[in-house]
Amino acid sequence: MKFYPLTFTPILKDRIWGGTKLKTYLNKPIVSETTGESWEISTVPGDISVVSNGVLKGKNINEIIDLYPEEILGKSVIARFGKQFPLLFKFIDAKEDLSIQLHPNDALAKERHNSFGKTEMWYVMQADESARLVVGFKKDSNQQEYLAHLENKNLIDLLNEYPVSKGDVFFLETGTIHAIGAGVVVAEIQQTSDVTYRIYDWDRVDANGNGRELHTELALDAINYQTTPSKIDYEEEANKSAAIVDCPYFVTNIIALQETFIWKRTKQAFTVFMCTNGQFEMIVNGEILRYRMGDTILIPACIENLTVKGKATLLEISI
């Protein structure tokens, strides 16, 4: 088997807060005016990504991992997770505010949902004027204060609202209250989990006058009531891999590609590239593969090096 960079068919999610930027901005084949998410690489049950290129086209990611576990995942990933792909990659378009929500940690998620927790990060790809993100408490709080503000529908008064622009990065540990605000497109990297505790949804209702389910009780002992630094400062360097986030669940670097970058594997684990701007090509095994903004590429662990050429911004994610 001659291994190569893998792409997958996007799994598109209709959301009450979604819009059309996944098509107009990222060229995704959306079919509704309220498409909120494109799941780029997923092994969440019911949403298993399918390979869209090369000789493995048509096989899903679990099938290829089962056939070639060490070649795809790498020895270090298998030692930690077995044959389970541990990350979920998304692009998100918020035409309206997302609900205010949080995610449980590994222990709670395992106990209640037989799932990983959901540590995640956002890279802002596009932001309208006055767009913002809601992340964490302004000051240390407690359950009593939180519940009082929630009942009075002024929870937002306790929370940080960050004005954002292209290139901003936020890291969200489990338990952090957060919401993506209207007018923002983000690349999201997270643990493989779809467990969300929705605590406030801006009192909006659907066409039948029904609000979405809230998870008030479940959230109480999952919330981190302490302030946590979330916005990440980083520096880009042309044609080099620069660190952004390094946590126990994933490592994300940024490559400001201007000309040519010789990429070399540094660990026995798969790598994922998310293209957040521009276009580029990879040369691997003598073959030229072309990509553009909005593409997400899985580099199997057995590929040791490749040449990357073009003008683009790439997120480089590994375990």
Side-chain angles (χ1 to χ4, degrees):
M1 176 66 189
K2 191 175 182 180
F3 291 93
Y4 59 95
L6 299 166
T7 55
F8 298 84
T9 301
I11 300 170
L12 302 171
K13 298 287 186 177
D14 202 61
R15 301 292 191 229
I16 192 172
W17 40 261
T20 59
K21 285 182 183 176
L22 292 178
K23 179 178 181 179
T24 59
Y25 193 66
L26 298 182
N27 303 296
K28 301 299 177 184
I30 71 173
V31 294
S32 84
E33 300 291 303
T34 53
T35 305
E37 301 183 16
S38 176
W39 291 21
E40 297 288 293
I41 306 178
S42 167
T43 56
V44 173
D47 289 298
I48 309 297
S49 292
V50 174
V51 178
S52 62
N53 69 321
V55 297
L56 294 173
K57 182 176 181 178
K59 291 188 179 297
N60 72 45
I61 186 170
N62 286 341
E63 290 174 325
I64 64 171
I65 289 171
D66 194 51
L67 288 169
Y68 312 108
E70 190 172 307
E71 293 86 348
I72 300 297
L73 293 178
K75 290 181 179 179
S76 66
V77 177
I78 292 171
R80 186 172 170 191
F81 299 102
K83 291 184 179 181
Q84 190 166 12
F85 192 77
L87 298 178
L88 172 59
F89 299 86
K90 301 177 181 177
F91 294 116
I92 297 175
D93 168 24
K95 183 179 180 181
E96 299 179 8
D97 292 340
L98 272 68
S99 64
I100 298 178
Q101 58 189 244
L102 65 136
H103 310 293
N105 61 27
D106 283 346
L108 272 179
K110 179 68 174 177
E111 176 187 340
R112 294 174 175 174
H113 314 284
N114 194 30
S115 170
F116 289 130
K118 190 174 173 182
T119 298
E120 60 188 326
M121 67 159 280
W122 295 329
Y123 177 91
V124 177
M125 297 179 64
Q126 187 272 333
D128 294 349
E129 188 175 353
S130 301
R132 92 277 188 236
L133 300 175
V134 177
V135 184
F137 288 97
K138 291 177 181 175
K139 59 181 181 63
D140 290 352
S141 186
N142 54 62
Q143 191 175 111
Q144 183 178 5
E145 182 181 43
Y146 160 78
L147 283 173
H149 280 73
L150 187 64
E151 184 176 347
N152 292 327
K153 301 186 185 301
N154 60 353
L155 177 61
I156 195 68
D157 292 346
L158 292 179
L159 305 178
N160 280 314
E161 295 184 85
Y162 293 90
V164 291
S165 56
K166 182 178 179 180
D168 285 347
V169 170
F170 288 79
F171 176 69
L172 294 90
E173 296 184 5
T174 54
T176 304
I177 291 178
H178 60 273
I180 300 173
V184 180
V185 175
V186 303
E188 181 175 279
I189 299 149
Q190 59 162 94
Q191 292 175 267
T192 293
S193 171
D194 197 31
V195 179
T196 295
Y197 294 163
R198 186 184 300 121
I199 56 178
Y200 184 61
D201 200 28
W202 313 103
D203 301 316
R204 74 184 141 205
V205 295
D206 62 19
N208 299 316
N210 299 315
R212 293 193 294 170
E213 181 184 6
L214 300 178
H215 307 99
T216 305
E217 292 301 320
L218 283 172
L220 289 178
D221 58 353
I223 294 171
N224 179 2
Y225 295 96
Q226 310 306 303
T227 57
T228 54
S230 296
K231 188 172 183 181
I232 303 297
D233 293 324
Y234 66 96
E235 293 184 6
E236 295 181 2
E237 193 170 354
N239 302 311
K240 292 189 177 180
S241 183
I244 304 180
V245 169
D246 187 344
C247 76
Y249 305 102
F250 54 82
V251 175
T252 301
N253 297 335
I254 191 164
I255 302 170
L257 182 65
Q258 294 297 322
E259 296 173 358
T260 301
F261 176 70
I262 306 301
W263 178 85
K264 295 183 179 180
R265 185 167 303 287
T266 59
K267 58 184 73 174
Q268 296 177 322
F270 68 87
T271 299
V272 169
F273 287 135
M274 300 182 83
C275 183
T276 62
N277 189 54
Q279 52 190 338
F280 70 102
E281 59 188 32
M282 287 184 188
I283 303 171
V284 57
N285 299 323
E287 185 177 0
I288 298 175
L289 304 170
R290 293 181 173 84
Y291 306 97
R292 61 184 179 181
M293 181 173 66
D295 286 339
T296 302
I297 308 105
L298 171 62
I299 312 298
C302 63
I303 296 178
E304 294 294 329
N305 57 75
L306 47 82
T307 300
V308 186
K309 300 177 69 174
K311 290 191 175 182
T313 304
L314 306 177
L315 300 181
E316 176 196 19
I317 305 101
S318 61
I319 297 291

